[in-house]
């Protein structure tokens, strides 16, 4: 048994001593002369030395990592293992430990420290006395044997057992069995394996770079990966080490890869255990709940609706769907829309309203605005003189636009559009007063659009307050944004129909009117910000025709824009269920095509 000469020796000598002591303890050396080895290993001083050695190992390991050893930017960060442990099997086990296990001990007592010497080194230490080891002298007399065997006459003599001839062994050839020395297996070196996150249902592929281990793939004897099946992934090592597949569950999954290398040049045979964790993120679509609103609340509303109207070779379709955030929280759909056709004067009418999520009765505010405005606007547009006057003014504008004509058209259409929007505002105020509430409890945006065909082209006019968008599109040729979204002082803010400042004077109200004259169009599109935000993202993008073309192409992939398609509105409703990260508000859109 090795022991230090004194307790003040430096750390290198102390570490070497404990390494040798531990190796001799665990390699199964059969020639250890101390009879009660476990008790000796519990010696308080030895345990203290072992503790200091382990702390020293941690310090060496941390310093090694901080020094940046290994590949600078490996695909997988394999933190280098403790160099002392890496060298230990070759330098300690295969030389000193093995040599010590087969050496002939001339004087075994030299390996045990006398009690008085221990006391001298460690004053005050209580040491249990151990019987001194006495070697057997070569000239020691043999023990005296009885001349005749003592046999009990009353005992039954066992029958002699027959021995097969082949099993008979001459007594002079029987050897005393000697227990063979246990094979010395170097301990595997743990290495931290850093793996990127994955997502459930999405392909995962990660190659593992072992260059930080300073080993070659050619010297690999065995590769074993465990834990990957639980993730739904597979680990392959055909020419390169790869983790691939499609995770079928989410969570954190521990994985391990055993790399068994043969000796290679001056590098001894060694095992490495690459240990890490794969964090598989869940599919966010499956995390959304579908909760029903409280049935006792007023103004119950369906979670979705759609509608289609046809007239004079054109079709209007609209759809509105409760947003995921509303469904997750068990609240109502706040958006609303209305479609009307005035067959007498051939007007197409579309309205879209988006109730504010912060307003408790906004679902009712959007509904009142659409219903009341449509009621008033249909009556206004039924006036033949209005249609005739607009035709004359818009025809002149199409030939030669001017600011004078612009003002005249706005003034003529003001009575129809602005009066309809104001009627919606007044109806909301009346219901709020009847309930003892403020109109802001019914906050809603409002987008109102009318279209009529003339000999010179189509006249399109809008009245707009709040966010969302209205656009006229001729695919690949023309686009116009029919107004500017209202923004508040801070991001995410907007203006509402129910704000008194919207109605301060007639000139302010008239400025919210926009119109255009086009020879033809692919579509007139009115949408709430639940659609415009994920599809355009910024107000600047709303001004780019290419973005409107892209939206139309996307819609055309799922909707058959034919006049006789009776399911176009249902197809539009299905399209509104598109996925856009971070965009889960109610969605409403109306299209004239």
């Amino acid at each position: 048994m090795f022991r230090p000469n004194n307790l003040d020796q430096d750390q290198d000598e102390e570490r070497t001593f404990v390494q040798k002591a531990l190796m001799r303890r665990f390699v199964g050396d059969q020639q250890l002369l101390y009879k009660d080895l476990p008790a000796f290993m519990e010696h308080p001083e030895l345990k203290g030395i072992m503790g200091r050695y382990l702390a020293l190992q941690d310090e060496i390991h941390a310093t090694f990592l901080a020094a940046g050893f290994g590949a600078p930017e490996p695909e997988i960060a394999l933190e280098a293992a403790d160099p002392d442990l890496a060298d230990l099997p070759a330098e300690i086990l295969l030389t000193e430990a093995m040599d010590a296990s087969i050496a002939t001990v001339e004087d075994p007592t030299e390996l045990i420290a006398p009690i008085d010497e221990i006391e001298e080194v460690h004053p005050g230490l209580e040491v249990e006395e151990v019987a001194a080891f006495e070697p057997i002298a070569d000239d020691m007399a043999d023990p005296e044997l009885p001349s005749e065997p003592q046999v009990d006459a009353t005992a039954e003599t066992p029958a002699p057992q027959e021995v097969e001839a082949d099993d008979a062994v001459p007594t002079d050839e029987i050897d005393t069995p000697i227990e063979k020395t246990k094979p010395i297996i170097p301990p595997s070196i743990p290495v931290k394996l850093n793996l990127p996150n994955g997502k459930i249902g999405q392909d995962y592929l990660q190659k593992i770079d072992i260059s930080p281990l300073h080993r070659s793939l050619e010297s690999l004897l065995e590769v074993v990966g465990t834990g990957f099946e639980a993730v739904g992934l597979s680990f392959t090592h055909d020419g390169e080490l790869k983790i691939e597949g499609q995770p079928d569950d989410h969570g954190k999954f521990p994985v391990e890869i055993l790399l068994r290398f043969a000796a290679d040049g001056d590098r001894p045979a060694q095992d490495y255990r690459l240990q890490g964790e794969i964090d598989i993120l869940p599919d966010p679509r499956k995390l959304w709940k579908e909760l029903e609103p409280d049935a006792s609340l007023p103004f119950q509303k369906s979670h979705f609706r759609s509608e289609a109207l046809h007239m004079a070779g054109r079709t209007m379709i609209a759809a509105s769907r409760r947003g995921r955030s509303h469904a997750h929280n068990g609240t109502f759909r706040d958006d609303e829309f209305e479609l009307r056709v005035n067959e007498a004067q051939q007007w197409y009418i579309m309205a879209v309203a988006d109730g504010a999520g912060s307003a408790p009765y906004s679902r009712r505010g959007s509904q009142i605005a659409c219903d009341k405005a449509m009621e008033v606007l249909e009556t206004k547009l039924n006036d033949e003189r209005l249609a005739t006057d607009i035709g004359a003014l818009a025809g002149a504008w199409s030939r030669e636009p001017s600011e004078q004509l612009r003002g005249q058209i706005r003034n003529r259409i003001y009575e129809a559009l602005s009066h309809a929007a104001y009627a919606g505002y007044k109806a909301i105020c009346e219901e709020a007063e009847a309930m003892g509430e403020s109109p802001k409890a019914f906050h809603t945006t409002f987008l109102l659009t009318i279209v009529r065909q003339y000999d010179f082209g189509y006249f399109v006019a809008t009245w707009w307050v709040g966010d969302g968008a209205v656009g006229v599109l001729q695919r690949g040729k023309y686009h116009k944004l029919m107004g500017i979204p209202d923004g508040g002082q801070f991001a995410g803010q907007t203006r509402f129909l129910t704000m008194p400042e919207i109605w301060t004077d007639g000139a302010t109200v008239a400025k919210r009117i926009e119109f255009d004259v086009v020879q033809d169009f692919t579509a007139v599109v009115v949408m709430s910000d639940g659609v415009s935000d994920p599809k355009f993202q910024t107000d600047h993008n709303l001004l780019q025709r290419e973005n409107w073309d892209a939206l139309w192409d996307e819609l055309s992939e799922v909707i058959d824009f034919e006049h006789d398609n009776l399911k176009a509105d249902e197809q539009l409703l299905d399209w509104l269920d598109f996925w856009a990260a971070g965009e889960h508000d109610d969605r409403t859109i109306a299209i004239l095509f």
Side-chain angles (χ1 to χ4, degrees), residues 137-145:
D138 293 338
D139 56 352
M140 181 176 290
D142 293 333
E144 182 175 345
L145 299 176

Side-chain angles (χ1 to χ4, degrees), residues 214-222 260-264 270:
H214 304 291
R215 294 281 187 164
S216 64
L217 288 173
E218 291 76 12
S219 63
L220 266 176
L221 296 177
E222 186 179 4
R260 182 158 290 161
F261 291 93
D264 184 12
Q270 184 61 61

Side-chain angles (χ1 to χ4, degrees), residues 72-83:
E73 294 182 356
E75 294 184 22
I76 300 296
L78 298 175
E79 296 183 3
D82 190 328

Side-chain angles (χ1 to χ4, degrees), residues 247-401:
D248 54 15
D249 195 7
H250 67 276
K252 296 181 182 293
F253 299 88
V255 295
E256 181 177 281
I257 302 173
L258 171 65
L259 302 179
R260 182 158 290 161
F261 291 93
D264 184 12
D266 59 348
R267 303 303 301 271
Q270 184 61 61
D271 294 353
Y272 295 87
R273 289 192 179 274
L274 280 54
Q275 299 169 329
E277 185 178 72
I278 302 180
D279 189 359
I280 303 300
L281 306 178
D283 183 352
R285 304 186 189 194
K286 296 181 180 179
L287 298 179
W288 292 98
K289 300 176 183 178
E290 285 281 345
L291 302 178
E292 292 298 320
D294 187 345
S296 66
L297 294 175
F299 312 126
Q300 297 283 318
K301 181 184 277 191
S302 63
H303 299 330
F304 53 85
R305 63 180 287 248
S306 64
E307 187 178 2
L309 293 176
H310 308 274
M311 184 182 70
R314 290 281 182 176
T315 300
M316 286 188 298
I317 59 175
S320 181
R321 177 180 289 274
R322 182 172 72 155
R324 291 185 180 88
S325 59
H326 289 237
H328 189 77
N329 296 320
T331 56
F332 293 99
R333 173 175 59 91
D334 292 326
D335 282 11
E336 198 52 83
F337 72 84
E338 281 296 331
L339 303 178
R340 301 286 174 90
V341 291
N342 182 290
E343 295 185 358
Q345 299 301 323
Q346 299 291 297
W347 288 98
Y348 301 93
I349 311 171
M350 297 182 289
V352 168
D354 178 4
S358 59
Y361 304 120
S362 63
R363 60 188 180 278
R364 178 60 178 159
S366 62
Q367 193 175 51
I368 294 174
C370 289
D371 290 345
K372 191 63 177 180
M374 281 295 182
E375 178 186 332
V376 172
L377 190 56
E378 270 197 296
T379 302
K380 296 289 185 182
L381 295 179
N382 206 36
D383 183 355
E384 183 178 358
R385 289 181 304 169
L386 177 64
T388 302
D389 292 347
I390 292 297
L393 293 170
W397 166 270
S398 65
R399 293 187 295 272
E400 187 175 353

Side-chain angles (χ1 to χ4, degrees), residues 2 13 43 61 74 80-81 148 204 218 231 236 457 510 544 556 578 589:
F2 294 92
E13 292 178 345
H43 194 289
H61 185 61
E148 295 182 3
Y204 186 95
E218 291 76 12
V231 198
T236 59
Q544 311 304 313
S556 300
F578 63 82
I589 186 171

Side-chain angles (χ1 to χ4, degrees), residues 72-141:
E73 294 182 356
E75 294 184 22
I76 300 296
L78 298 175
E79 296 183 3
D82 190 328
D84 289 333
L85 290 179
D87 295 335
L88 187 59
E91 297 183 6
I92 302 295
L93 287 178
L94 300 182
T95 56
E96 295 176 291
M98 183 176 288
D99 293 342
S101 66
I102 61 175
T104 300
V105 180
E106 295 182 357
D107 187 1
T109 59
E110 294 179 358
L111 298 178
I112 302 178
I115 295 176
D116 56 349
E117 184 177 338
I118 295 177
E119 292 177 342
E120 182 179 349
V121 176
H122 312 292
L125 178 64
E126 295 183 1
V127 182
E128 182 180 353
E129 290 191 6
V130 181
F133 178 81
E134 302 236 355
I136 299 176
D138 293 338
D139 56 352
M140 181 176 290

